[in-house]
């Protein structure tokens, strides 16, 4: 073998050994530009690199779109309960299940504000049986569930499906109708 062939053979062996870096060996990066670049964090403040406002009129496919965010008047005018007159057993059971999951701890089993968490709260939860609560439109109740009101936070994550929120409102209406005057 001549010197050039030996040199080529050694070079090929070194390249082959360099390409077989495993978990127990550090990989040698010849071009460091990919290794050393600024990290972009999704949590950065608006205006910094990484967070960009989506184009107007668009929304993420995996997110619920709520056009009345922060606008109670718009919700009152535009939201309509699609199951307003549906007090079937199925709808009431769905509403009751979600009431027991999300509302019963503060508002109580009968929606009278006497829930088990009442004594540990600074501001007492309101009764849903008083005239003020009865006078709320379904759209107002939906908006309160979605965004919260006063000391009550938003419950859109506890009652995720809009159909279930409407069923919950129908269940609360049945409690209101059953309550003594």
């Amino acid at each position: 073998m001549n010197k050039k062939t030996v040199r080529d053979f050694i070079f090929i062996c070194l390249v082959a050994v360099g390409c077989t870096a495993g978990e127990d060996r550090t990989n040698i990066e010849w071009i460091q530009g990919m290794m050393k670049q600024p990290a972009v964090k999704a949590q950065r403040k608006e205006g910094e690199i990484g967070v960009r406002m989506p184009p107007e009129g668009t929304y993420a496919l995996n997110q619920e779109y709520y056009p009345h965010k922060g606008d109670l008047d718009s919700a009152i005018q535009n939201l309509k309960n699609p199951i307003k007159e549906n007090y079937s057993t199925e709808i009431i059971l769905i509403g009751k299940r979600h009431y027991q999951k999300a509302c019963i701890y503060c508002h109580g089993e009968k929606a009278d504000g006497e829930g088990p968490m009442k004594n540990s709260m600074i501001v007492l939860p309101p009764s849903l049986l008083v005239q003020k609560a009865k006078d709320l439109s379904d759209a107002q109740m939906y908006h309160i569930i979605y965004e919260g009101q006063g000391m009550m936070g938003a419950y859109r994550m506890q009652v995720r499906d809009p159909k279930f929120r409407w069923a919950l409102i129908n269940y609360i209406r049945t409690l209101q109708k059953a309550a003594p005057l």
Side-chain angles (χ1 to χ4, degrees):
M1 285 186 164
N2 62 24
K3 286 184 180 181
K4 183 173 180 349
T5 308
V6 172
R7 196 173 2 147
D8 289 345
F9 177 74
I10 291 172
F11 177 74
I12 291 170
C13 289
L14 287 174
V15 169
V17 169
C19 291
T20 59
E23 291 179 23
D24 59 338
R25 290 194 228 153
T26 304
N27 191 12
I28 298 171
E29 291 288 334
W30 295 102
I31 302 172
Q32 296 289 317
M34 293 298 288
M35 300 284 287
K36 296 179 183 174
Q37 54 181 306
V40 177
K41 302 278 186 193
Q43 298 84 4
R44 288 193 183 177
K45 294 178 186 171
E46 198 172 313
E48 293 183 17
I49 295 175
V51 176
R52 295 192 175 103
M53 294 301 294
E56 190 174 325
T58 62
Y59 57 93
L61 291 176
N62 60 349
Q63 297 292 321
E64 178 185 354
Y65 176 62
Y66 186 65
H68 315 293
K69 190 169 181 154
D71 190 358
L72 177 62
D73 293 332
S74 171
I76 291 169
Q77 291 175 356
N78 299 307
L79 282 177
K80 304 287 183 251
N81 186 344
I83 56 172
K84 184 174 181 71
E85 301 300 323
N86 187 350
Y87 291 98
S88 67
T89 305
E90 178 186 2
I91 294 295
I92 298 306
L93 287 177
I94 290 170
K96 183 177 182 177
R97 184 177 79 228
H98 285 88
Y99 183 87
Q100 290 174 338
K101 182 176 81 169
C103 310
I104 199 168
Y105 303 106
C106 298
H107 293 288
E109 190 174 332
K110 298 175 186 172
D112 55 2
E114 298 292 325
M117 296 299 296
K118 174 187 168 192
N119 294 331
S120 63
M121 300 175 86
I122 295 171
V123 177
L124 298 177
S127 168
L128 299 176
L129 306 178
V130 297
Q131 194 60 43
K132 183 178 177 180
K134 290 179 182 180
D135 290 341
L136 291 174
S137 70
D138 288 355
Q140 287 173 294
M141 290 179 83
Y142 186 95
H143 190 75
I144 291 169
I145 293 167
Y146 191 87
E147 292 205 334
Q149 179 183 27
M151 297 299 289
M152 178 181 142
Y155 274 78
R156 67 177 165 267
M157 297 308 287
Q158 289 82 352
V159 185
R160 290 179 181 252
D161 192 323
K163 294 177 218 163
F164 295 159
R165 293 181 198 137
W166 293 118
L168 172 60
I169 291 166
N170 283 9
Y171 176 70
I172 292 170
R173 296 294 187 207
T174 62
L175 293 175
Q176 290 172 339
K177 288 176 185 174
L181 299 175

